[in-house]
Amino acid sequence: MKINVRWENDQQSLLYYAFEVGWDWKDMYDAFAQAREMMETVDHQVNIIMDLSHVSLIPKGALAKIRWAFESPKQKNVGLTVVVTPSSFIKSMIDLGTKIWGKAAKQWSVAFVTTIAEAHILIEEYDGAMNG
């Protein structure tokens, strides 16, 4: 599988997806299933980092898959999802999907950054706002 999912901290409050060059939609489905199982083992909020910083392209059929992702039921303990990508193409595709399927997309809190460090800062700020 070319998308690895792991806990990013000991508290199991941050889930990290590492995308590798050559990932495909089956990898994405498998990673989502694995993440769902992992999140079901905890009863607190889980934020997500989707690290696409090492890939510049996404597989064909992206808009249909983005629609599927937005329309999938959100687990109750999912907090902020931060997509890390320096690729303006990937960001544009997800932004377009957000506009097209706005109603379904509203259930998700998604942000974009260009570095992992920015993702961690954004999640800290999000957690502070939610707990403060």
Side-chain angles (χ1 to χ4, degrees):
M1 189 163 77
K2 294 200 174 197
I3 303 173
N4 298 303
V5 182
R6 69 174 188 269
W7 290 115
E8 183 71 357
N9 59 15
D10 292 337
Q11 299 83 14
Q12 296 183 337
S13 63
L14 182 57
L15 203 56
Y16 182 85
Y17 290 70
F19 287 72
E20 298 175 13
V21 172
W23 69 272
D24 61 26
W25 297 117
K26 182 179 182 331
D27 293 328
M28 174 72 90
Y29 293 135
D30 292 346
F32 280 1
Q34 180 184 353
R36 181 172 294 280
E37 288 177 11
M38 293 169 71
M39 286 188 283
E40 287 174 354
T41 67
V42 299
D43 61 0
H44 54 264
Q45 177 180 284
V46 176
N47 296 309
I48 298 169
I49 294 177
M50 300 186 102
D51 183 4
L52 287 102
S53 62
H54 301 291
V55 299
S56 57
L57 297 174
I58 52 179
K60 290 181 182 178
L63 283 178
K65 303 305 181 193
I66 292 168
R67 177 182 185 178
W68 169 83
F70 282 144
E71 291 180 345
S72 296
K74 178 181 167 186
Q75 283 180 260
K76 63 180 178 174
N77 60 335
V78 173
L80 178 64
T81 299
V82 181
V83 179
V84 180
T85 179
S87 169
S88 58
F89 174 73
I90 293 173
K91 183 179 181 311
S92 295
M93 290 298 292
I94 298 171
D95 279 344
L96 180 59
T98 302
K99 288 182 177 111
I100 294 172
W101 298 288
K103 186 176 181 180
K106 285 184 182 178
Q107 70 174 325
W108 299 94
S109 297
V110 179
F112 295 91
V113 295
T114 57
T115 68
I116 296 294
E118 290 173 309
H120 283 281
I121 291 168
L122 199 57
I123 287 170
E124 284 179 30
E125 291 172 352
Y126 178 84
D127 283 345
M130 297 303 287
N131 298 322

mmCIF file of all heavy atoms in Angstrom, residues 15-31:
data_model
loop_
_atom_site.group_PDB
_atom_site.id
_atom_site.type_symbol
_atom_site.label_atom_id
_atom_site.label_comp_id
_atom_site.label_asym_id
_atom_site.label_seq_id
_atom_site.Cartn_x
_atom_site.Cartn_y
_atom_site.Cartn_z
ATOM 1 N N LEU A 15 -3.842 11.534 13.622
ATOM 2 C CA LEU A 15 -3.642 10.459 12.662
ATOM 3 C C LEU A 15 -2.893 11.018 11.462
ATOM 4 O O LEU A 15 -3.227 12.099 10.964
ATOM 5 C CB LEU A 15 -5.013 9.929 12.238
ATOM 6 C CG LEU A 15 -5.113 8.526 11.681
ATOM 7 C CD1 LEU A 15 -4.550 7.501 12.640
ATOM 8 C CD2 LEU A 15 -6.567 8.207 11.394
ATOM 9 N N TYR A 16 -1.887 10.299 11.007
ATOM 10 C CA TYR A 16 -1.012 10.775 9.938
ATOM 11 C C TYR A 16 -1.086 9.825 8.745
ATOM 12 O O TYR A 16 -0.836 8.632 8.886
ATOM 13 C CB TYR A 16 0.419 10.851 10.471
ATOM 14 C CG TYR A 16 1.428 11.359 9.496
ATOM 15 C CD1 TYR A 16 1.640 12.720 9.331
ATOM 16 C CD2 TYR A 16 2.207 10.478 8.748
ATOM 17 C CE1 TYR A 16 2.593 13.194 8.436
ATOM 18 C CE2 TYR A 16 3.162 10.949 7.862
ATOM 19 C CZ TYR A 16 3.343 12.300 7.701
ATOM 20 O OH TYR A 16 4.290 12.763 6.815
ATOM 21 N N TYR A 17 -1.456 10.368 7.581
ATOM 22 C CA TYR A 17 -1.455 9.620 6.323
ATOM 23 C C TYR A 17 -0.231 10.076 5.526
ATOM 24 O O TYR A 17 -0.107 11.265 5.215
ATOM 25 C CB TYR A 17 -2.652 9.977 5.458
ATOM 26 C CG TYR A 17 -4.017 9.533 5.891
ATOM 27 C CD1 TYR A 17 -4.655 10.079 7.002
ATOM 28 C CD2 TYR A 17 -4.716 8.597 5.135
ATOM 29 C CE1 TYR A 17 -5.939 9.699 7.350
ATOM 30 C CE2 TYR A 17 -6.009 8.210 5.474
ATOM 31 C CZ TYR A 17 -6.608 8.771 6.589
ATOM 32 O OH TYR A 17 -7.879 8.399 6.919
ATOM 33 N N ALA A 18 0.656 9.146 5.169
ATOM 34 C CA ALA A 18 1.817 9.466 4.332
ATOM 35 C C ALA A 18 1.574 8.885 2.937
ATOM 36 O O ALA A 18 1.536 7.671 2.751
ATOM 37 C CB ALA A 18 3.088 8.882 4.944
ATOM 38 N N PHE A 19 1.385 9.775 1.966
ATOM 39 C CA PHE A 19 1.151 9.366 0.580
ATOM 40 C C PHE A 19 2.492 9.230 -0.136
ATOM 41 O O PHE A 19 3.337 10.126 -0.047
ATOM 42 C CB PHE A 19 0.317 10.424 -0.155
ATOM 43 C CG PHE A 19 -1.122 10.468 0.249
ATOM 44 C CD1 PHE A 19 -1.505 10.963 1.487
ATOM 45 C CD2 PHE A 19 -2.111 10.025 -0.620
ATOM 46 C CE1 PHE A 19 -2.833 11.019 1.864
ATOM 47 C CE2 PHE A 19 -3.452 10.072 -0.254
ATOM 48 C CZ PHE A 19 -3.811 10.571 0.991
ATOM 49 N N GLU A 20 2.664 8.124 -0.866
ATOM 50 C CA GLU A 20 3.882 7.905 -1.636
ATOM 51 C C GLU A 20 3.569 8.037 -3.125
ATOM 52 O O GLU A 20 2.426 7.825 -3.543
ATOM 53 C CB GLU A 20 4.432 6.506 -1.363
ATOM 54 C CG GLU A 20 4.832 6.276 0.086
ATOM 55 C CD GLU A 20 5.265 4.838 0.344
ATOM 56 O OE1 GLU A 20 5.500 4.085 -0.629
ATOM 57 O OE2 GLU A 20 5.356 4.479 1.526
ATOM 58 N N VAL A 21 4.593 8.357 -3.900
ATOM 59 C CA VAL A 21 4.426 8.456 -5.350
ATOM 60 C C VAL A 21 3.863 7.138 -5.864
ATOM 61 O O VAL A 21 4.293 6.058 -5.457
ATOM 62 C CB VAL A 21 5.782 8.769 -6.018
ATOM 63 C CG1 VAL A 21 5.667 8.689 -7.545
ATOM 64 C CG2 VAL A 21 6.284 10.140 -5.599
ATOM 65 N N GLY A 22 2.860 7.242 -6.731
ATOM 66 C CA GLY A 22 2.262 6.061 -7.335
ATOM 67 C C GLY A 22 1.048 5.518 -6.603
ATOM 68 O O GLY A 22 0.500 4.490 -7.002
ATOM 69 N N TRP A 23 0.570 6.229 -5.581
ATOM 70 C CA TRP A 23 -0.618 5.757 -4.858
ATOM 71 C C TRP A 23 -1.814 5.758 -5.802
ATOM 72 O O TRP A 23 -1.859 6.495 -6.781
ATOM 73 C CB TRP A 23 -0.886 6.594 -3.605
ATOM 74 C CG TRP A 23 -1.323 8.005 -3.867
ATOM 75 C CD1 TRP A 23 -0.518 9.088 -4.047
ATOM 76 C CD2 TRP A 23 -2.667 8.491 -3.970
ATOM 77 N NE1 TRP A 23 -1.272 10.215 -4.263
ATOM 78 C CE2 TRP A 23 -2.591 9.882 -4.218
ATOM 79 C CE3 TRP A 23 -3.918 7.899 -3.872
ATOM 80 C CZ2 TRP A 23 -3.727 10.675 -4.373
ATOM 81 C CZ3 TRP A 23 -5.043 8.692 -4.021
ATOM 82 C CH2 TRP A 23 -4.931 10.063 -4.271
ATOM 83 N N ASP A 24 -2.782 4.900 -5.503
ATOM 84 C CA ASP A 24 -3.990 4.843 -6.328
ATOM 85 C C ASP A 24 -5.222 4.857 -5.428
ATOM 86 O O ASP A 24 -5.113 4.910 -4.199
ATOM 87 C CB ASP A 24 -3.966 3.629 -7.270
ATOM 88 C CG ASP A 24 -3.895 2.301 -6.528
ATOM 89 O OD1 ASP A 24 -4.331 2.214 -5.353
ATOM 90 O OD2 ASP A 24 -3.406 1.322 -7.120
ATOM 91 N N TRP A 25 -6.395 4.808 -6.048
ATOM 92 C CA TRP A 25 -7.637 4.931 -5.284
ATOM 93 C C TRP A 25 -7.876 3.732 -4.370
ATOM 94 O O TRP A 25 -8.446 3.867 -3.300
ATOM 95 C CB TRP A 25 -8.820 5.192 -6.208
ATOM 96 C CG TRP A 25 -8.663 6.489 -6.930
ATOM 97 C CD1 TRP A 25 -8.541 6.669 -8.277
ATOM 98 C CD2 TRP A 25 -8.555 7.795 -6.344
ATOM 99 N NE1 TRP A 25 -8.367 8.010 -8.551
ATOM 100 C CE2 TRP A 25 -8.374 8.725 -7.393
ATOM 101 C CE3 TRP A 25 -8.583 8.280 -5.046
ATOM 102 C CZ2 TRP A 25 -8.231 10.094 -7.188
ATOM 103 C CZ3 TRP A 25 -8.438 9.649 -4.831
ATOM 104 C CH2 TRP A 25 -8.269 10.537 -5.893
ATOM 105 N N LYS A 26 -7.417 2.551 -4.767
ATOM 106 C CA LYS A 26 -7.536 1.402 -3.871
ATOM 107 C C LYS A 26 -6.727 1.657 -2.601
ATOM 108 O O LYS A 26 -7.183 1.343 -1.493
ATOM 109 C CB LYS A 26 -7.088 0.115 -4.545
ATOM 110 C CG LYS A 26 -7.260 -1.088 -3.609
ATOM 111 C CD LYS A 26 -6.857 -2.388 -4.232
ATOM 112 C CE LYS A 26 -7.057 -3.593 -3.331
ATOM 113 N NZ LYS A 26 -6.971 -3.418 -1.909
ATOM 114 N N ASP A 27 -5.536 2.233 -2.759
ATOM 115 C CA ASP A 27 -4.728 2.592 -1.587
ATOM 116 C C ASP A 27 -5.507 3.548 -0.680
ATOM 117 O O ASP A 27 -5.476 3.419 0.543
ATOM 118 C CB ASP A 27 -3.405 3.250 -2.003
ATOM 119 C CG ASP A 27 -2.457 2.310 -2.721
ATOM 120 O OD1 ASP A 27 -2.465 1.099 -2.425
ATOM 121 O OD2 ASP A 27 -1.699 2.793 -3.586
ATOM 122 N N MET A 28 -6.207 4.501 -1.298
ATOM 123 C CA MET A 28 -6.980 5.483 -0.524
ATOM 124 C C MET A 28 -8.113 4.796 0.234
ATOM 125 O O MET A 28 -8.310 5.032 1.421
ATOM 126 C CB MET A 28 -7.543 6.567 -1.441
ATOM 127 C CG MET A 28 -8.468 7.538 -0.732
ATOM 128 S SD MET A 28 -7.614 8.664 0.359
ATOM 129 C CE MET A 28 -7.316 9.975 -0.799
ATOM 130 N N TYR A 29 -8.861 3.931 -0.438
ATOM 131 C CA TYR A 29 -9.948 3.210 0.236
ATOM 132 C C TYR A 29 -9.402 2.383 1.398
ATOM 133 O O TYR A 29 -9.977 2.363 2.483
ATOM 134 C CB TYR A 29 -10.694 2.293 -0.730
ATOM 135 C CG TYR A 29 -11.477 3.003 -1.814
ATOM 136 C CD1 TYR A 29 -11.418 2.587 -3.129
ATOM 137 C CD2 TYR A 29 -12.283 4.097 -1.515
ATOM 138 C CE1 TYR A 29 -12.137 3.233 -4.127
ATOM 139 C CE2 TYR A 29 -13.005 4.751 -2.502
ATOM 140 C CZ TYR A 29 -12.925 4.311 -3.810
ATOM 141 O OH TYR A 29 -13.636 4.956 -4.776
ATOM 142 N N ASP A 30 -8.304 1.680 1.152
ATOM 143 C CA ASP A 30 -7.703 0.848 2.201
ATOM 144 C C ASP A 30 -7.229 1.709 3.377
ATOM 145 O O ASP A 30 -7.417 1.338 4.537
ATOM 146 C CB ASP A 30 -6.536 0.033 1.645
ATOM 147 C CG ASP A 30 -6.977 -1.037 0.663
ATOM 148 O OD1 ASP A 30 -8.196 -1.347 0.595
ATOM 149 O OD2 ASP A 30 -6.104 -1.564 -0.060
ATOM 150 N N ALA A 31 -6.622 2.854 3.073
ATOM 151 C CA ALA A 31 -6.135 3.752 4.132
ATOM 152 C C ALA A 31 -7.308 4.302 4.939
ATOM 153 O O ALA A 31 -7.241 4.367 6.176
ATOM 154 C CB ALA A 31 -5.319 4.895 3.530
#
